[in-house]
């Protein structure tokens, strides 16, 4: 007889199995899935889960990165290393191309964000490749609007999300049926928290971009956070560049991802830091701070 | 309200060893459900400073004299404006013992479908009763849905005890009323806790205001309720989700059947049958991420290879030779209707059952349930949004199923409108 305790998988094993189930379901139900890869820890976990889901076969869909041109160079370096490592296909599409074509317009101001412009390029790319399902690394614990997101999130032909008209999702029966031109965003790690992601990275010993770990960097204090100095940022009156020992809790654009002062140099250090954190990880993202309903608005328009 | 520091560093080994409890919360409007969830999140230190600042600000804006914890869980703008919850939202918190996933479902009459959704994956349901109002129609409705969805554990929280002077008499009366009502329901474990979500009584700590209450606090109950035996470990069921064929040099002849063990246990060497073909074989290996496992339990996602080269594809099911599910095209089920568009007798729909897709025709409506009195209605067969009915369907291809009461995974199905592709019905096979 197997002992009773062995009957129950740990919570992380259950979350992993759930995510793998979702990925296989997408591979089976859709014709052209793609994994949206940002270089952040959540999408890195997705790649790991995809490897496990289809082993010993290679990941049966490409990775796509929407490059704002404002990325941390370390994130790009990591991305290129990872796709080689796992033998995945990588597609890169550039926000700059959308701006040049005139389909997206650059924001004005001292730190113009290309965050919202990503949506334009993303929707253009979905149309270009006729992708019918896009995996994203979003989690429901990240933000209020995301708490109501489904695993399979239906988008109309304009890429829009209608939060009041979502398909009910029961048991593990996922309905991916759609009309022509419509597509789905699929979030395999919906039920994971920030801590779950870190513990999984720790348990699986997954390499990460270096900016997650402590390093020295030139930063400027703005909107209550440390922003990395970069060619994309214009100093305002009274601001000065300082050199600090920092790390990043999320990987987004250099223009809107705040650094935290930290000496955490290992995954164990980071986990302890996350455990004692008093601000949510998205609290260090200027894009979410713009208004209380910022994320909801962006999602409706087709944001990740 | 002061922000609580999270002082204790986390124990990684313990974290990696926690189990998972999924629960749903139901109550009618103003029963204090959002406040209770806010309280659980707050008291387990799951609320961050920036979230706290945001709700402090929002509380002040609304002219409230206290920090309104219920604002933590109001997600969408429309809800914040109207002060109601309109869709299932998921919340997360953890204690050193367990990780919790809350399906926060609204209590409005028109949103029964959301409670069904939230309950479909839950191990436990919290039913909130306002101490001033006692057991009302919606309490019965929510409890019935919990029993219909085969939730094994129910915690009845009698809330707002502070508004009835923590009266034992009030609590006992509600408990008795609920016991009388729930005797007809099939819920094996029901517990009753007097609480004040607003003030925190009996939520985390046992309250000095209820010396007459000898039971455990809500959080203690959630941490300790025994769920290991709730899963079906008897009937081995493995719906095939995806066939893995790498066709690489190293794995030239590899053919793996990917899926999730929905119930029961599998081991290499087990005698298996593939449905619907009926071909017999043995499990050769159970693969996961480059390793061969010697046993696998639900709900683990793995890949099987088998001894013989037989034809198995998505939608098929691998089971053990000596324990097979029912196989039939005629299926009787309880259905909860999820759509404004009414169910059509003799209408055709698509269905999804395990990894199998089929079409069906609605052959018969046996009765509709009055979900307040649990009476069978046999003179009105109009099945609309939020209605629950017993129906018979005939499917285009045989389903391999168990009764829902025996096996949630192989006893559940969804009904999909073929015109709009929307999920319109949730079915539980009898």
């Amino acid at each position: 007889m197997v002992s009773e305790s062995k009957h129950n998988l740990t919570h992380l094993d259950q979350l992993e199995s759930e995510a793998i189930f979702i990925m296989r379901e997408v591979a089976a139900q859709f014709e052209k899935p793609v994994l949206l890869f940002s270089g952040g820890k959540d999408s890195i976990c997705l790649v790991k889960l995809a490897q496990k889901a289809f082993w010993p076969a290679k990941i049966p869909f490409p990775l796509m990165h929407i490059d704002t041109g404002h990325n941390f160079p370390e994130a790009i370096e990591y991305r290129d290393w990872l796709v080689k490592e796992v033998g995945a296909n990588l597609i890169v599409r550039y926000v700059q191309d959308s701006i040049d074509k005139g389909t997206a317009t650059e924001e004005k101001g001292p730190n113009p964000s290309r965050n919202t412009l990503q949506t334009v390029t993303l929707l253009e790319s979905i149309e270009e490749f006729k992708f019918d399902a896009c995996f994203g690394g979003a989690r429901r614990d990240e933000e209020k609007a995301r708490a109501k997101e489904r695993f399979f999130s239906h988008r109309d032909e304009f890429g829009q999300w209608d939060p009041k008209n979502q398909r009910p999702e029961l048991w593990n029966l996922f309905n991916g049926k759609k009309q022509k031109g419509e597509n789905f965003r699929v979030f395999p790690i919906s039920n994971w928290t920030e801590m779950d992601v870190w513990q999984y990275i720790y348990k699986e010993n997954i390499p990460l971009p270096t900016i997650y770990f402590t390093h020295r960097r030139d930063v400027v204090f703005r909107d209550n956070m440390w922003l990395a100095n970069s060619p994309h940022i214009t100093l305002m009156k009274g601001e000065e560049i300082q050199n600090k020992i920092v790390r990043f809790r999320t990987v987004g654009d250099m223009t809107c991802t705040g650094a935290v002062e930290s000496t955490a140099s290992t995954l164990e250090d980071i986990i302890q830091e996350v455990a004692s954190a008093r601000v949510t990880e998205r609290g260090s993202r200027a894009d979410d701070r713009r208004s209380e309903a910022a994320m909801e608005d962006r999602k409706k328009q087709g944001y990740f | 309200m002061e922000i609580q520091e999270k002082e204790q560093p986390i124990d990684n080994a313990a974290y990696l060893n926690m189990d998972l409890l999924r629960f749903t919360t139901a109550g009618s409007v103003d029963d204090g459900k959002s406040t209770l969830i806010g309280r659980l999140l707050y008291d387990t230190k799951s609320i961050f400073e920036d979230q706290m600042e945001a709700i402090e600000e929002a509380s002040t804006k609304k002219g409230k004299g206290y920090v309104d914890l219920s604002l933590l869980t109001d997600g969408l703008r429309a809800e914040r404006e109207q002060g109601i919850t309109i869709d299932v939202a998921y919340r997360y918190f953890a204690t050193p013992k367990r990780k919790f996933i809350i399906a926060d479902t609204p209590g409005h009459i028109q949103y029964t479908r959301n409670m069904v959704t939230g309950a479909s994956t839950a191990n436990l349901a919290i039913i909130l009763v306002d101490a001033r109002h006692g057991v009302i129609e919606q309490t019965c409705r929510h409890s019935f849905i919990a029993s219909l969805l085969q939730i094994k554990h129910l915690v009845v929280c009698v809330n707002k005890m502070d508004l009835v002077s923590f009266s034992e008499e009030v609590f006992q009366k509600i408990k008795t009323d609920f016991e009388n009502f729930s005797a007809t329901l099939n819920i094996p474990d029901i517990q009753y806790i007097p609480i004040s979500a607003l003030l925190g009584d009996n939520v985390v700590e046992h309250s000095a205001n209820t010396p007459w209450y000898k039971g455990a606090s809500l959080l203690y109950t959630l941490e300790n309720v025994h769920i290991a035996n709730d899963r079906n470990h008897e009937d081995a069921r493995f719906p095939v989700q995806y066939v893995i064929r790498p066709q690489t040099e190293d794995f030239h002849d590899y053919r793996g059947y990917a899926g999730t063990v929905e119930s029961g246990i599998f081991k290499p060497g087990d005698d298996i049958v593939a449905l619907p073909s009926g071909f017999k074989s043995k499990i050769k290996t159970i693969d996961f991420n480059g390793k061969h496992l010697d046993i696998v339990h639900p709900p683990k996602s793995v890949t099987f290879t088998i001894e013989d080269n037989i034809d198995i594809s998505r939608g098929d099911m691998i089971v053990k030779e000596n324990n097979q599910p029912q196989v039939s095209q005629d299926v009787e089920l309880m259905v909860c209707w999820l759509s404004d568009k009414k169910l059509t007798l003799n209408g055709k729909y698509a269905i999804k059952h395990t990894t199998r897709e089929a079409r069906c025709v609605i052959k018969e409506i046996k009765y509709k349930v009055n979900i307040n009195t649990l009476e069978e209605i046999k003179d009105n067969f109009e099945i609309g949004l939020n209605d629950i009915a017993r129906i018979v369907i005939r499917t285009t291809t045989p389903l391999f199923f168990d009764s829902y009461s025996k096996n949630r995974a192989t006893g559940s199905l969804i009904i999909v409108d073929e015109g709009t592709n929307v999920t319109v019905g949730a079915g539980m096979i009898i």
Side-chain angles (χ1 to χ4, degrees):
Chain A
M1 264 311 269
V2 183
S3 73
E4 188 185 272
S5 62
K6 271 195 168 173
H7 275 332
N8 257 20
L9 303 187
T10 68
H11 86 282
L12 216 48
D13 283 339
Q14 291 191 47
L15 293 176
E16 178 188 66
S17 273
E18 178 180 82
I20 288 174
F21 180 85
I22 305 271
M23 289 190 146
R24 289 166 166 177
E25 206 52 28
V26 168
Q29 287 194 37
F30 293 86
E31 279 166 33
K32 270 206 106 176
V34 64
L35 191 155
L36 302 177
F37 185 79
S38 70
K41 66 180 189 311
D42 301 310
S43 59
I44 291 168
C45 273
L46 286 189
V47 174
K48 182 74 184 178
L49 290 160
Q51 276 184 285
K52 288 192 174 193
F54 302 102
W55 184 93
K58 291 239 187 293
I59 300 174
F61 36 78
L63 275 47
M64 181 163 77
H65 181 219
I66 303 299
D67 189 335
T68 58
H70 290 174
N71 295 289
F72 288 94
E74 294 92 335
I76 299 294
E77 199 180 298
Y78 177 90
R79 175 196 76 190
D80 294 340
W81 168 81
L82 183 71
V83 293
K84 260 201 201 118
E85 181 76 13
V86 305
N89 290 328
L90 175 71
I91 297 167
V92 183
R93 285 295 176 268
Y94 300 90
V95 169
Q96 188 62 51
D97 289 345
S98 302
I99 293 171
D100 294 346
K101 268 194 297 190
T103 48
T105 312
E106 187 97 73
E107 279 187 12
K108 305 276 183 282
N111 52 333
S113 165
R114 286 185 166 181
N115 202 300
T116 50
L117 304 189
Q118 283 184 82
T119 306
V120 175
T121 312
L122 172 66
L123 296 180
E124 286 172 356
S125 314
I126 290 172
E127 206 152 313
E128 177 190 349
F129 292 98
K130 307 271 179 265
F131 290 128
D132 54 2
C134 305
F135 287 110
R139 307 187 322 265
R140 287 169 177 157
D141 80 318
E142 273 180 85
E143 204 277 334
K144 277 181 179 179
R146 283 191 165 158
K148 311 215 156 176
E149 184 65 276
R150 303 292 195 260
F151 281 95
F152 275 41
S153 177
H154 177 257
R155 304 300 163 103
D156 66 13
E157 67 250 65
F158 302 104
Q160 294 182 102
W161 180 61
D162 180 1
K164 282 190 171 173
N165 189 26
Q166 300 192 81
R167 291 181 184 178
E169 227 163 53
L170 300 111
W171 299 290
N172 61 354
L173 298 171
F174 297 99
N175 172 5
K177 289 185 188 288
K178 62 190 180 310
Q179 314 283 351
K180 216 173 165 51
E182 298 177 344
N183 60 74
F184 278 78
R185 302 291 163 79
V186 180
F187 306 107
I189 59 168
S190 288
N191 275 335
W192 300 40
T193 60
E194 184 185 15
M195 182 54 86
D196 294 331
V197 170
W198 282 113
Q199 292 283 353
Y200 190 70
I201 290 166
Y202 172 70
K203 176 175 160 259
E204 300 289 323
N205 201 13
I206 301 171
L208 289 181
T210 51
I211 62 168
Y212 277 111
F213 301 96
T214 186
H215 58 283
R216 277 202 165 273
R217 182 178 289 269
D218 284 343
V219 289
V220 58
F221 197 69
R222 181 180 293 172
D223 294 338
N224 243 346
M225 63 180 126
W226 295 104
L227 288 179
N229 185 31
S230 75
H232 316 297
I233 190 167
T234 313
L235 284 195
M236 292 194 289
K237 215 177 147 196
E239 286 180 344
E240 54 171 335
I241 302 288
Q242 297 183 50
N243 191 267
K244 292 266 177 196
I245 293 174
V246 295
R247 69 174 202 89
F248 292 88
R249 286 177 70 186
T250 65
V251 170
D253 277 5
M254 295 185 82
T255 52
C256 65
T257 307
V260 290
E261 289 188 71
S262 167
T263 55
S265 61
T266 64
L267 283 173
E268 286 93 331
D269 293 344
I270 290 176
I271 287 170
Q272 294 309 331
E273 200 181 279
V274 171
S276 56
R278 296 175 59 185
V279 177
T280 55
E281 56 184 334
R282 294 206 79 93
S284 58
R285 291 280 284 260
D287 38 335
D288 285 339
R289 290 186 167 194
R290 293 186 171 194
S291 86
E292 214 206 335
M295 174 74 93
E296 190 181 335
D297 291 340
R298 275 181 292 144
K299 275 176 71 78
K300 280 186 184 163
Q301 289 152 13
Y303 186 71
F304 302 99
Chain B
M1 205 175 286
E2 265 182 48
I3 303 291
Q4 305 179 4
E5 286 266 13
K6 296 179 176 186
E7 281 149 359
Q8 283 195 331
I10 193 155
D11 177 349
N12 288 334
Y15 192 92
L16 291 173
N17 209 19
M18 287 195 302
D19 72 357
L20 177 64
L21 180 87
R22 298 177 195 246
F23 68 92
T24 179
T25 53
S28 40
V29 189
D30 297 331
D31 274 352
K33 194 164 53 69
S34 296
T35 307
L36 176 65
I37 293 171
R39 168 64 60 189
L40 280 170
L41 298 178
Y42 180 77
D43 285 349
T44 55
K45 300 171 188 174
S46 313
I47 297 172
F48 292 97
E49 197 169 89
D50 50 338
Q51 294 173 318
M52 206 61 200
E53 277 168 12
I55 69 159
E56 275 168 8
E57 203 176 296
S59 299
T60 313
K61 249 192 225 166
K62 289 191 167 180
K64 304 217 168 177
Y66 58 96
V67 177
D68 184 355
L69 289 175
S70 74
L71 295 175
L72 272 169
T73 57
D74 289 344
L76 304 171
R77 183 183 294 166
E79 296 176 338
R80 285 195 296 279
E81 282 162 5
Q82 296 167 38
I84 54 159
T85 316
I86 53 174
D87 202 341
V88 188
Y90 294 87
R91 321 279 172 202
Y92 305 85
F93 69 98
T95 69
K97 279 204 149 165
R98 265 189 181 151
K99 150 141 181 168
F100 299 93
I101 301 179
I102 314 176
D104 178 10
T105 62
H108 310 266
I109 235 161
Q110 65 269 41
Y111 291 113
T112 294
R113 77 169 205 170
N114 291 325
M115 168 143 189
V116 171
T117 304
S120 73
T121 51
N123 307 103
L124 176 149
I126 292 178
I127 305 273
L128 273 161
V129 178
D130 188 322
R132 296 167 305 172
H133 305 140
V135 174
I136 57 169
E137 204 173 273
Q138 289 198 33
T139 317
C140 303
R141 179 197 307 269
H142 295 145
S143 311
F144 171 62
I145 293 170
S147 82
L148 185 70
L149 274 289
Q150 293 284 326
I151 294 181
K152 309 259 195 254
H153 310 276
L154 206 63
V155 179
V156 179
C157 285
V158 180
N159 190 26
K160 306 197 182 181
M161 287 299 291
D162 50 314
L163 300 183
V164 295
S165 315
F166 295 97
S167 156
E168 180 178 10
E169 200 183 317
V170 169
F171 175 73
Q172 285 303 345
K173 162 120 186 18
I174 291 172
K175 187 177 169 189
T176 308
D177 287 350
F178 195 92
E179 279 168 349
N180 290 339
F181 152 76
S182 64
T184 53
L185 300 176
N186 178 26
I187 301 174
D189 173 30
I190 305 180
Q191 302 191 52
Y192 302 85
I193 307 178
I195 66 165
S196 165
L198 190 68
L199 305 177
D201 294 271
N202 291 328
V203 175
V204 173
E205 304 285 341
H206 195 278
S207 169
N209 291 322
T210 54
W212 44 266
Y213 173 67
K214 303 297 177 215
S217 72
L218 175 61
L219 187 64
Y220 184 91
T221 304
L222 295 174
E223 281 183 314
N224 292 285
V225 60
H226 188 72
I227 52 170
N229 291 341
D230 294 352
R231 222 175 253 287
N232 180 329
H233 294 288
E234 308 305 318
D235 310 314
R237 305 282 183 261
F238 187 80
V240 174
Q241 219 187 341
Y242 187 81
V243 180
I244 294 177
R245 297 194 62 189
Q247 293 172 310
T248 55
E249 229 166 83
D250 293 350
F251 295 93
H252 194 263
D253 295 322
Y254 187 95
R255 193 182 173 92
Y257 304 105
T260 294
V261 177
E262 293 291 4
S263 57
I265 293 162
F266 287 94
K267 291 177 187 162
D270 280 347
D271 291 315
I272 52 117
V273 178
L275 300 173
S277 71
F279 286 129
K280 293 174 184 174
S281 185
K282 276 184 197 300
I283 295 180
K284 190 170 163 190
T285 58
I286 299 173
D287 295 346
F288 184 68
N289 193 34
K291 289 193 194 81
H292 299 316
L293 309 181
D294 50 14
I295 187 164
V296 64
H297 297 101
K300 180 98 172 159
S301 293
V302 290
T303 303
F304 288 174
T305 61
I306 59 173
E307 294 285 358
D308 303 280
N309 194 8
I310 55 178
D311 183 35
I312 301 177
S313 50
R314 173 174 168 85
D316 293 357
M317 190 184 283
I318 294 174
V319 301
K320 294 208 187 150
E321 211 182 317
N322 59 3
N323 178 336
Q324 300 195 22
Q326 300 180 59
V327 180
S328 177
Q329 283 175 262
D330 297 294
V331 183
E332 192 162 338
L333 47 114
M334 297 300 291
V335 68
C336 175
W337 204 247
L338 310 169
S339 165
D340 289 324
K341 215 167 129 187
K342 292 187 171 46
L343 177 146
T344 323
L345 183 62
N346 297 318
K348 295 189 175 70
Y349 294 90
I351 54 169
K352 200 166 182 303
H353 170 254
T354 66
T355 57
R356 198 165 178 80
E357 283 178 33
R359 297 180 68 216
C360 79
V361 58
I362 312 289
K363 295 291 280 186
E364 190 185 348
I365 299 169
K366 294 223 156 184
Y367 58 82
K368 186 164 132 177
V369 182
N370 178 331
I371 56 175
N372 301 318
T373 60
L374 308 190
E375 282 166 344
E376 295 173 8
I377 304 170
K378 292 186 173 162
D379 56 354
N380 170 7
F381 287 163
E382 221 178 63
I383 312 298
L385 179 63
N386 297 317
D387 281 338
I388 290 171
R390 182 161 174 157
I391 63 170
V392 180
I393 61 171
R394 182 164 174 85
T395 59
T396 47
T397 170
L399 303 185
F400 327 122
F401 61 91
D402 299 286
S403 71
Y404 184 79
S405 61
K406 263 180 81 183
N407 198 325
R408 254 186 176 182
T410 55
S412 55
L413 58 82
I414 55 170
I415 300 176
V416 177
D417 182 291
E418 291 186 303
T420 61
N421 292 328
V422 171
T423 306
V424 292
M428 287 140 282
I429 300 172
I430 291 166

